Amino acid sequence: MSKIKWFTDSRFGMFIHWGIYAIPAIGEWAYAQKEWKENEYQGFAKVFDPQKFDPGRLAKLASAAGMKYVVFTTRHHDGFCMFDSHYTDYKVTNTPYGKDIVRMVVEAFRKEGLKIGFYHSLPDWTHPGYADPETPEYMQKKTVRTPTAQEYADFKELLFNHIEQLMTGYGKIDLLFCDYTSKYKDGVDYFDRERILEMVYRHQPDIIVNDRLAYFKDDVCDFDYYTPEICVMNAPPVVKGKEVVWESCTTMNDHWGYCAGDNNYKDAHSLISALMGCVSQSGNMLLNVGPDADGCIGMTAEERLREIGKWFDIHADAVYGCSASKHQAPYGCCYTQNGNKLYCFLLITPVGDIILPELKGKIESIKLMRTQTEVQIIDFWGYELLKSDEERIRPAGAKAGDVLEITLREC
Ligand code: GLC
């Protein structure tokens, strides 16, 4: 079995953005977003103490929402390690909280049966060996230092060592999400990606690695999957002439890391529609939560996850193991397909009947999943204007968010 099958079967995961940036509560780019006094930002590490963090509860919530894997920020661009780094003191085990949060997350989510993914930032804004116009220093002061050869070598070594520690100290890791290569480093291999990849695959032969060690370059090896963000693709992306595995990571509001002022949460139907949109183009969705300084994800995020879970209780078959269908979906709907089961997701409440293109004579039966009732094909009324390959159906009582399970005579 291919090592990526669990991923393309799962289709839905939880992203967790969490670090000391939860304290200033303006998102995970906090360190870059305002001018901090010397060591003021780093000082948040001295008070980080999320006593309400309950990874077991969060893992159960993710599982109940239908999520099959988790991707956790082991270190973001601010350089702060959420694990017990052997190589820096700027880490969670040196905070008042004192515990290795990465280990807690791994244990709790593994216990719930979810696959484990690590997000790790390639940029480290606090390291003298990392500099370009996308760093806080430039954003605040419009200056860019040139790292010495030694600083640059130290930077690369630290990155390598951290990833190696994560690959060797936490059991089987299923996925590595590296983030990101700045446009100023586009043409150069700033991070020694082949050395990192060789080490990662040596320790974790079955792991899958995302594309952000280098963007769509012709001279790099193929990555296991591609990561557009906060969007739904109109078609499966093609790289070097080949359709590739992809996942869109998506925020629930407008931030990844906790932002106290951001209550702009998308409703559950929009989030489910985005997930189904991804699956309808053979993609995954990685939906983010950003715990606050106490370790809580907040009522609205929790409510959304529970609503998604309720939808999953009925419609899981329309997601897991499904991919794009070759058939054209009708107005207001999108299709996912698994073998001869074609799932028609209703983006909007139908005005009445739905006209299915290309399916004339190909349908064995149709049912509305929520009510388990049979849906009628209407061949006694209004059919004279249909195209010869169209079938008209009347899904009585169907509304936005419903799924029609269409059993095809053949795939
Ligand atoms: C971007 C952002 C980063 C976020 C990531 C999620 O690269 O810089 O803050 O973690 O997207 O994919």
Side-chain angles (χ1 to χ4, degrees):
M1 205 203 320
S2 112
K3 67 171 185 168
I4 202 140
K5 189 167 181 327
W6 72 263
F7 183 73
T8 52
D9 277 351
S10 301
R11 291 299 181 215
F12 193 32
M14 175 181 272
F15 212 172
I16 306 178
H17 271 73
W18 200 26
I20 53 171
Y21 43 79
I23 298 176
I26 52 171
E28 81 289 355
W29 274 60
Y31 188 48
Q33 272 161 358
K34 58 188 253 197
E35 202 166 340
W36 301 93
K37 288 189 223 109
E38 178 95 7
N39 284 328
E40 186 184 2
Y41 182 90
Q42 287 83 342
F44 293 133
K46 299 209 167 63
V47 290
F48 188 67
D49 194 14
Q51 284 299 332
K52 293 194 182 145
F53 182 52
D54 184 345
R57 189 166 181 279
L58 191 55
K60 284 200 176 69
L61 201 55
S63 170
M67 294 158 159
K68 295 287 190 192
Y69 60 104
V70 64
V71 180
F72 185 81
T73 49
T74 56
R75 175 184 90 165
H76 209 270
H77 311 333
D78 64 358
F80 180 78
C81 294
M82 291 293 274
F83 60 105
D84 188 17
S85 165
H86 297 159
Y87 307 97
T88 174
D89 292 335
Y90 195 39
K91 59 178 177 179
V92 69
T93 41
N94 282 343
T95 65
Y97 192 61
K99 292 183 238 174
D100 182 335
I101 286 183
V102 168
R103 189 170 304 286
M104 293 168 73
V105 167
V106 167
E107 283 168 4
F109 280 76
R110 211 177 257 152
K111 195 162 155 221
E112 279 313 306
L114 278 85
K115 299 271 187 191
I116 305 299
F118 285 161
Y119 166 108
H120 199 78
S121 171
L122 302 168
D124 178 351
W125 290 334
T126 51
H127 199 289
Y130 188 84
D132 73 22
E134 283 186 16
T135 57
E137 187 190 16
Y138 182 80
M139 287 181 220
Q140 299 304 329
K141 305 197 176 84
K142 298 282 174 270
T143 56
V144 188
R145 286 165 312 101
T146 310
T148 64
Q150 189 56 51
E151 285 169 339
Y152 174 44
D154 290 349
F155 164 79
K156 280 196 294 187
E157 207 50 27
L158 182 65
L159 177 66
F160 182 91
N161 286 339
H162 271 160
I163 297 180
E164 183 156 53
Q165 185 183 341
L166 290 165
M167 292 299 110
T168 51
Y170 296 84
K172 185 170 186 299
I173 303 305
D174 303 289
L175 176 156
L176 177 65
F177 187 121
C178 291
D179 185 39
Y180 69 99
T181 305
S182 113
K183 66 175 184 238
Y184 298 97
K185 295 181 168 53
D186 224 14
V188 283
D189 180 12
Y190 200 79
F191 307 105
D192 261 355
R193 61 183 168 242
E194 299 300 334
R195 182 170 173 242
I196 292 177
L197 284 171
E198 185 281 322
M199 173 273 289
V200 167
Y201 289 123
R202 177 156 41 82
H203 295 306
Q204 300 280 349
D206 290 329
I207 201 168
I208 56 170
V209 182
N210 75 333
D211 56 326
R212 297 192 186 180
L213 271 161
Y215 291 116
F216 300 89
K217 292 267 165 281
D218 281 341
D219 62 338
V220 297
C221 67
D222 289 320
F223 292 100
D224 295 313
Y225 73 105
Y226 289 76
T227 54
E229 61 184 56
I230 46 169
C231 67
V232 178
M233 308 298 282
N234 290 326
V238 171
V239 178
K240 293 190 214 161
K242 235 176 48 197
E243 219 179 81
V244 294
V245 174
W246 67 281
E247 168 201 78
S248 179
C249 46
T250 307
T251 52
M252 255 195 228
N253 52 4
D254 295 327
H255 286 81
W256 300 102
Y258 177 64
C259 177
D262 181 358
N263 288 310
N264 195 24
Y265 283 84
K266 289 142 236 183
D267 59 43
H269 176 64
S270 301
L271 295 170
I272 294 166
S273 301
L275 166 65
M276 288 303 279
C278 291
V279 182
S280 79
Q281 303 305 335
S282 301
N284 287 23
M285 188 165 96
L286 185 65
L287 184 60
N288 183 70
V289 295
D292 63 17
D294 290 331
C296 303
I297 61 163
M299 288 240 307
T300 314
E302 183 161 339
E303 250 171 55
R304 294 295 182 274
L305 292 173
R306 294 206 187 281
E307 283 173 86
I308 295 170
K310 270 196 223 137
W311 182 88
F312 256 94
D313 287 344
I314 303 167
H315 301 108
D317 287 348
V319 177
Y320 304 137
C322 289
S323 295
S325 169
K326 62 174 196 265
H327 298 292
Q328 185 203 334
Y331 172 73
C333 305
C334 68
Y335 277 163
T336 64
Q337 190 167 347
N338 190 354
N340 71 333
K341 296 285 185 198
L342 178 62
Y343 298 96
C344 179
F345 176 76
L346 274 52
L347 293 153
I348 53 171
T349 298
V351 73
D353 295 351
I354 296 177
I355 296 170
L356 306 174
E358 302 173 359
L359 292 185
K360 183 83 189 166
K362 294 187 178 155
I363 298 171
E364 184 76 48
S365 62
I366 311 178
K367 70 175 186 204
L368 179 59
M369 291 180 88
R370 180 170 48 81
T371 57
Q372 291 291 304
T373 47
E374 204 69 27
V375 174
Q376 294 309 311
I377 293 180
I378 303 299
D379 56 4
F380 53 85
W381 186 80
Y383 56 86
E384 60 280 357
L385 291 181
L386 296 187
K387 287 195 195 148
S388 61
D389 67 348
E390 286 175 336
E391 201 80 275
R392 177 170 179 149
I393 60 168
R394 183 159 295 177
K399 50 182 197 212
D402 273 335
V403 179
L404 306 174
E405 184 191 278
I406 304 173
T407 305
L408 298 173
R409 298 221 155 100
E410 49 199 68
C411 303

